[in-house]
Each structure stands twice: as C-alpha cells, then as structure tokens.
C-alpha cells in the first residue's frame, strides 16, 4: 500500500504498475536523485510529475539533465 503522502499521480502510476504485474521500487535513490519509481527488470525510471506545482521548474531541469 502506498503512503498517504504520495500524490494522486504516484498513486495512479503504482496502480497501473501493479495491474501490469511489474515489480518496482518506490522513492528509489539513483545517483543524486530519488526517483518516484524504478523498474529494475527493464531498467526504467518513472517520474510521476504533475503539470503544475512549485517543483515544476526543478523537475524540468532534472529531466533535461
């Protein structure tokens, strides 16, 4: 079960990953970042960013790097 502090976007992504039967790590540290979801079997990171919010510019900069 997801912590209540997770955003609606994170809850939706987790639900879909669960339905697909994919194993994932939540709030996984990778380098200097903590990613929302990491799927080790396929080496994929998912960031469940919303379209708004005070972190948008930081998220855009992170995604560009």
């Amino acid at each position: 079960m997801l912590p209540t502090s997770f955003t609606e976007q994170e809850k939706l992504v987790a639900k879909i990953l669960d339905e697909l039967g994919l194993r994932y790590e939540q709030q996984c540290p990778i380098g200097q970042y903590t990613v929302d979801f990491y799927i080790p079997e396929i080496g994929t990171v998912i960031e469940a960013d919303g379209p708004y919010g005070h972190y948008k510019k930081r998220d855009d900069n992170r995604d560009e790097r």
Side-chain angles (χ1 to χ4, degrees):
M1 180 163 190
L2 292 172
T4 56
S5 63
F6 273 29
T7 66
E8 290 304 311
Q9 293 92 338
E10 290 170 321
K11 291 175 186 176
L12 178 61
V13 170
K15 179 181 178 212
I16 292 168
L17 292 174
D18 289 339
E19 289 174 359
L20 292 171
L22 292 170
R23 283 185 264 158
Y24 56 91
E25 298 175 29
Q26 301 165 264
Q27 300 302 309
C28 180
I30 297 180
Q32 66 182 10
Y33 300 103
T34 298
V35 300
D36 293 334
F37 298 90
Y38 174 58
I39 307 169
E41 293 174 15
I42 58 175
T44 299
V45 165
I46 298 175
E47 281 294 306
D49 299 333
Y52 307 105
H54 61 281
Y55 294 121
K56 176 132 179 55
K57 184 171 182 159
R58 184 200 67 190
D59 291 343
D60 289 344
N61 290 337
R62 178 209 57 222
D63 293 348
E64 187 175 311
R65 281 192 297 271

